[in-house]
Amino acid sequence: MSVFGFTRFAATRTALALGVAAAALTALAPVAIAQEAQEQEATTADDGSVIVVTARRRAENLQDVPIAISAFSAERLENQGALDITDISQITPNTTLENSRGTNSTLTAFIRGVGQQDPVPGFEAGVGIYLDDVYLNRPQAAVLDIYEVERIEVLRGPQGTLYGRNTIGGAVKYVTKMLPQDFSLKLRGTYGTYDQAEGVVTVSAPLGDIVRVGGTLARLSRGGFGDNLNIRGLENYNRDVWAGRGTLEIGGYGAPVLIRISGDYTRDKSDPRNGHRLIPGIRSGTPVLNDVYDTRAGLNNPRQDIEAYGLAMNISAELTDNLTLRSISAWRKDDSFTPIDFDALPAIDVDVPAVYRNEQVSQEFQLLYEGERLKGLVGFYYLDAKASTAFDVLLFTTLNNLNAFTAGDVRTDTWSVFGDFTYDFTDQLSLSLGGRYTVDKRNSTILRQTKLGRSAEFGGTPVVLATTSNFNGEARFTDFNPRASLSFKPNEDHLFFAGYSQGFKGGGFDPRGLSTAAPDTNRDGVRSQQEIFDFLSFEPETVDSYELGWKGSFADNAINLALTGFYADYTNVQVPGSAGFDSNGDGVNDTFIGVTTNAGKAEFKGIEFEGNAVFAREFAGSGSFLSFNATLGYIDGEYKRFIDARNIDVANLRRIQNTPKWTMSGTFSGVFPAFSGNITASTTVSYRSKTFQFETPSPFLDQPGYALWDASLIWRDDEDRFSFGLNAKNILDKQYITSGYQFLATAPDGTPTRNAAGNLIPTLGTEGVATAFYGNPRQVFVTAAVKF
């Protein structure tokens, strides 16, 4: 079996898992079904109406949930002009969601300072992404486009009790709409700057009294914000995506059983996203380009191609008036071929053809109880997943076809049992207790070879010169995550809560590690298997988190406020890193290696505020009103211990990555009748303070504070059949860095060092790497929609 191939999963295994779950629950058809939030429309708070969320795996009013949570309904997302889930980042406190450097589809997610920006297997995300309650195990293909969405929920803080491992920072839940009971046809078209052209067609129909079928086809395209000046015909930051989703529903809407089977498919053939060099070429003297969206990258093999698809079946059955049984079964697979040109120059200097492959099967059972005083659930979760990657690392050498090949394969087999219950002592006082026990098994294979020529995976016929790593390791981790919260409601309009929770992010092996780089820790002159294991492996990251919060409603729900203070103590903080390495001792780095350690101990404390006020009702006729939404996030994060490669504690020199100290936004909206319908006008200003891209500060990549201004104008007819919208994003055309690469010699505090001639010193390749990726420039687009 190759280290990057998949042979274990078969379609029959998935079919068996789904079939068993279906058979077990279909037998319960005579009983009534509880559909909870799936049939409760989550309405926007812009007009003061109630928001229904399922953060605790049961339908609840947002204001009654003792958790720091943001919720975005379909209408609010439309009003904001949101195109994918990264668009909610600017209006969510202490949250970063962005594209991960080279593609449109790979997600980098951070909440309250915790996440993971390196998408290679072996590193867990830290923020869980859920599509209709199905956990997406890897960040590839996790930038979910927004269409036919019911709502998106962002849960901040550890969610390990109900959502499991790798939700140590929080969770993002993407919930799609149920099919309507009557025939429905929806058409939506968008056209905008940079030749943005999008079309979404959604159709559904009943096939009887209890069966419905529907589907959505989406074409999402846009020209590039810039161009590849080196490869004719390639644009930079363009979009070329086909996507679809199909659903079959049996039951629901009062029927005894709801079975919801869905499948989704996405094909992203956009040109590779290549970075903008921030420094001239050290060897060639190539100057910096004027347009930050242009590139000179020379690598286009393999052609960028991302394909992702999956099947899921959600079943719910009410066993008694108090008991509900749920099953969530899923299979997902994705493949990403991408050329990564670190140096962003025509010549081969630091060029990496890459492929990522992921596949997962998961099964979850939940048994919910809702009594007069006691509410909660117990559950079981199982995940069998594999993730692999293969890289050619092409460096500038006297032999231009020298290749430092790296392949990593990570198998995950994990299961957990969990429970979470809330008991109402009185109508005002409630206690919630929960816990989750997890067994997490990881098996990893790491293959490193020096070759002449590109690997067969990328169309070459290489000659293997040496094998520098051929490692196979296995580790087993267990963890128990408790949770407790106490809630007090002096009346129906106010909720005070205090909570404690634990979480953990799985350990593993660095898939880019090099066996021959392992240190001889006992200095006996022999690099033992245990020393190699210790060098390539890392332990789980854990957190103890404490929260105090208040949620209040005033003026008959016209004003809703939420304020949360938190403190989190992290131990065994995983610090992934990569660096150039001299494998043959000639004084020149001829490859790069991954070095991941549990180097850190960190503390975070901060506050989060969200508020919505509706006022001036009927100011311009029936149904008119004005509203204001505000968010504020503050986080003070610092390392208390950070042991570097020299075994020195450099905590005072390190920073928390992808986590601005301040995040804030304000949205002013107005709704008023016009032209046999209503016009919604809104404008949003958001601000993020200075952001460090990595733990070590970088004067090249770190982004100073900046503000973005968006606005929209949307008309909907009285029957909600027709709509027309005008959206403008980043109106002031702010240029801001979201991510990047750097391979330059620096002092321990991140200050770049220079040679005797005053030049920067590359640590990989010869040109030096300081390459940045930027957020989207000004975009203006119009959207028209019709429903039948």
Side-chain angles (χ1 to χ4, degrees):
M1 182 186 299
S2 68
V3 296
F4 46 80
F6 291 104
T7 58
R8 286 176 55 207
F9 281 18
T12 54
R13 181 176 183 180
T14 303
L16 179 62
L18 296 177
V20 169
L25 289 178
T26 303
L28 301 171
V31 298
I33 179 170
Q35 295 169 49
E36 300 202 77
Q38 290 179 311
E39 293 185 359
Q40 298 188 45
E41 183 176 0
T43 54
T44 178
D46 290 349
D47 62 357
S49 41
V50 171
I51 299 177
V52 176
V53 297
T54 56
R56 293 197 290 180
R57 300 295 184 102
R58 60 180 186 266
E60 297 176 284
N61 181 346
L62 174 65
Q63 290 296 101
D64 293 335
V65 182
I67 296 174
I69 176 175
S70 302
F72 305 90
S73 70
E75 185 175 353
R76 184 178 179 189
L77 293 168
E78 183 180 350
N79 291 343
Q80 295 285 149
L83 301 175
D84 60 51
I85 64 170
T86 65
D87 284 326
I88 66 175
S89 179
Q90 298 291 339
I91 52 175
T92 308
N94 292 329
T95 299
T96 297
L97 303 171
E98 62 191 21
N99 301 96
S100 181
R101 298 183 283 218
T103 76
N104 294 315
S105 303
T106 301
L107 180 68
T108 295
F110 280 75
I111 296 179
R112 290 185 179 176
V114 181
Q116 182 55 259
Q117 71 167 315
D118 200 324
V120 298
F123 302 139
E124 303 297 344
V127 173
I129 308 298
Y130 289 81
L131 174 59
D132 286 333
D133 276 336
V134 174
Y135 171 61
L136 305 186
N137 186 56
R138 301 302 305 154
Q140 285 80 29
V143 178
L144 302 175
D145 295 298
I146 292 176
Y147 57 89
E148 287 308 293
V149 63
E150 173 78 18
R151 68 185 180 279
I152 297 176
E153 302 174 17
V154 180
L155 286 59
R156 297 184 297 277
Q159 306 297 324
T161 298
L162 286 174
Y163 293 91
R165 56 195 280 281
N166 306 332
T167 55
I168 191 170
V172 179
K173 298 184 61 177
Y174 183 108
V175 183
T176 63
K177 292 181 178 179
M178 280 190 65
L179 300 178
Q181 291 181 278
D182 301 319
F183 174 82
S184 175
L185 174 64
K186 304 176 186 178
L187 305 174
R188 189 187 82 192
T190 299
Y191 184 77
T193 51
Y194 299 99
D195 292 325
Q196 178 184 357
E198 300 182 354
V200 180
V201 179
T202 300
V203 62
S204 66
L207 299 181
D209 293 337
I210 63 170
V211 180
R212 300 169 299 280
V213 63
T216 297
L217 178 66
R219 171 59 172 155
L220 312 171
S221 68
R222 187 193 64 233
F225 299 142
D227 293 299
N228 188 316
L229 305 182
N230 181 57
I231 302 178
R232 187 180 182 86
L234 284 189
E235 297 181 285
N236 211 22
Y237 296 88
N238 76 325
R239 292 195 79 198
D240 182 2
V241 176
W242 286 93
R245 183 182 298 130
T247 304
L248 171 68
E249 292 178 354
I250 303 172
Y253 293 107
V257 162
L258 174 63
I259 301 175
R260 193 166 192 250
I261 302 173
S262 60
D264 63 273
Y265 177 84
T266 300
R267 186 73 178 271
D268 183 353
K269 300 195 73 172
S270 309
D271 294 333
R273 281 164 48 105
N274 283 295
H276 170 77
R277 283 186 64 87
L278 301 174
I279 60 173
I282 294 175
R283 176 175 57 87
S284 65
T286 305
V288 174
L289 293 171
N290 292 325
D291 190 334
V292 300
Y293 298 102
D294 286 343
T295 187
R296 292 192 183 95
L299 184 65
N300 195 34
N301 177 31
R303 291 296 184 97
Q304 181 141 294
D305 191 358
I306 293 97
E307 189 175 27
Y309 41 93
L311 293 171
M313 181 160 62
N314 292 51
I315 309 176
S316 180
E318 189 174 297
L319 307 180
T320 69
D321 291 341
N322 303 110
L323 286 176
T324 301
L325 180 63
R326 289 180 183 158
S327 170
I328 305 166
S329 311
W331 165 79
R332 299 199 62 82
K333 189 177 189 298
D334 63 83
D335 299 290
S336 299
F337 288 85
T338 182
I340 307 172
D341 194 327
F342 286 82
D343 58 285
L345 288 173
I348 293 176
D349 194 57
V350 187
D351 291 4
V352 179
V355 59
Y356 301 85
R357 289 188 171 96
N358 306 298
E359 192 166 5
Q360 67 177 79
V361 168
S362 62
Q363 175 63 54
E364 182 168 0
F365 292 105
Q366 302 172 9
L367 183 63
L368 289 79
Y369 176 82
E370 293 203 39
E372 183 177 352
R373 291 290 183 185
L374 181 67
K375 299 179 179 65
L377 80 162
V378 293
F380 170 83
Y381 178 77
Y382 174 75
L383 172 70
D384 187 354
K386 54 180 67 176
S388 71
T389 188
F391 299 108
D392 278 352
V393 181
L394 310 175
L395 302 178
F396 178 83
T397 64
T398 54
L399 294 173
N400 265 347
N401 58 350
L402 190 65
N403 170 16
F405 173 75
T406 301
D409 183 284
V410 177
R411 310 297 175 95
T412 298
D413 188 274
T414 183
W415 63 268
S416 59
V417 290
F418 57 94
D420 191 90
F421 286 88
T422 300
Y423 184 76
D424 299 330
F425 294 104
T426 67
D427 292 339
Q428 288 78 39
L429 186 64
S430 300
L431 175 66
S432 294
L433 295 175
R436 190 182 194 107
Y437 177 76
T438 301
V439 176
D440 198 14
K441 297 179 181 178
R442 311 297 292 277
N443 185 287
S444 180
T445 300
I446 304 170
L447 178 66
R448 301 284 301 253
Q449 293 178 323
T450 302
K451 303 179 180 180
L452 284 177
R454 299 193 182 192
S455 298
E457 184 77 36
F458 308 113
T461 54
V463 176
V464 177
L465 301 179
T467 297
T468 53
S469 287
N470 191 1
F471 171 83
N472 183 274
E474 183 174 325
R476 182 178 185 270
F477 309 103
T478 62
D479 198 85
F480 177 71
N481 295 147
R483 186 187 78 88
S485 69
L486 188 66
S487 304
F488 176 64
K489 293 189 69 172
N491 54 52
E492 287 299 316
D493 295 326
H494 296 275
L495 170 70
F496 297 89
F497 62 91
Y500 165 78
S501 60
Q502 283 187 352
F504 87 106
K505 185 166 69 172
F509 303 87
D510 192 321
R512 305 161 307 169
L514 184 65
S515 299
T516 52
D520 179 14
T521 54
N522 61 8
R523 300 182 182 180
D524 64 355
V526 177
R527 188 178 290 111
S528 68
Q529 289 300 311
Q530 186 61 49
E531 288 170 332
I532 294 172
F533 183 95
D534 292 342
F535 178 67
L536 297 178
S537 65
F538 51 90
E539 294 294 313
E541 179 178 306
T542 61
V543 64
D544 290 282
S545 179
Y546 306 84
E547 285 188 353
L548 287 174
W550 163 71
K551 296 183 178 183
S553 298
F554 303 88
D556 194 23
N557 211 40
I559 300 174
N560 290 283
L561 306 176
L563 179 65
T564 305
F566 63 90
Y567 169 81
D569 183 12
Y570 285 82
T571 57
N572 273 347
V573 175
Q574 298 166 5
V575 182
S578 58
F581 183 73
D582 176 13
S583 65
N584 56 19
D586 65 357
V588 178
N589 290 337
D590 54 8
T591 186
F592 82 100
I593 63 172
V595 182
T596 300
T597 59
N598 295 102
K601 177 179 173 60
E603 290 183 358
F604 298 91
K605 49 184 177 291
I607 57 172
E608 292 161 349
F609 169 81
E610 294 181 277
N612 175 65
V614 179
F615 52 96
R617 292 186 184 273
E618 316 299 329
F619 78 100
S622 178
S624 63
F625 64 88
L626 301 176
S627 69
F628 182 72
N629 288 78
T631 68
L632 171 68
Y634 168 78
I635 184 167
D636 179 15
E638 62 177 340
Y639 282 102
K640 294 298 185 180
R641 184 179 68 249
F642 194 114
I643 308 300
D644 69 3
R646 304 165 298 163
N647 203 32
I648 298 174
D649 188 347
V650 292
N652 63 320
L653 303 176
R654 296 295 178 260
R655 302 294 181 265
I656 306 300
Q657 64 169 280
N658 280 294
T659 303
K661 179 167 287 190
W662 293 95
T663 54
M664 59 187 74
S665 70
T667 300
F668 183 77
S669 302
V671 177
F672 52 91
F675 310 110
S676 301
N678 288 296
I679 290 179
T680 301
S682 67
T683 184
T684 299
V685 175
S686 60
Y687 173 79
R688 301 173 75 85
S689 60
K690 183 174 183 177
T691 303
F692 296 93
Q693 299 300 332
F694 303 103
E695 283 85 3
T696 302
S698 167
F700 301 111
L701 297 177
D702 294 339
Q703 172 61 45
Y706 65 94
L708 299 178
W709 177 29
D710 301 338
S712 67
L713 190 67
I714 299 175
W715 172 82
R716 300 179 179 91
D717 75 315
D718 287 333
E719 297 182 356
D720 197 28
R721 289 188 58 194
F722 301 95
S723 67
F724 182 85
L726 172 64
N727 292 275
K729 302 176 78 65
N730 191 4
I731 293 172
L732 300 181
D733 203 23
K734 174 65 180 178
Q735 293 179 353
Y736 58 98
I737 294 173
T738 60
S739 56
Y741 304 112
Q742 180 174 313
F743 289 103
L744 295 171
T746 64
D749 65 353
T751 302
T753 56
R754 298 177 182 268
N755 59 20
N759 297 323
L760 294 168
I761 304 170
T763 57
L764 197 60
T766 61
E767 296 282 10
V769 173
T771 306
F773 296 82
Y774 286 79
N776 293 3
R778 180 193 300 118
Q779 294 176 267
V780 180
F781 53 92
V782 294
T783 297
V786 59
K787 304 176 185 177
F788 300 98

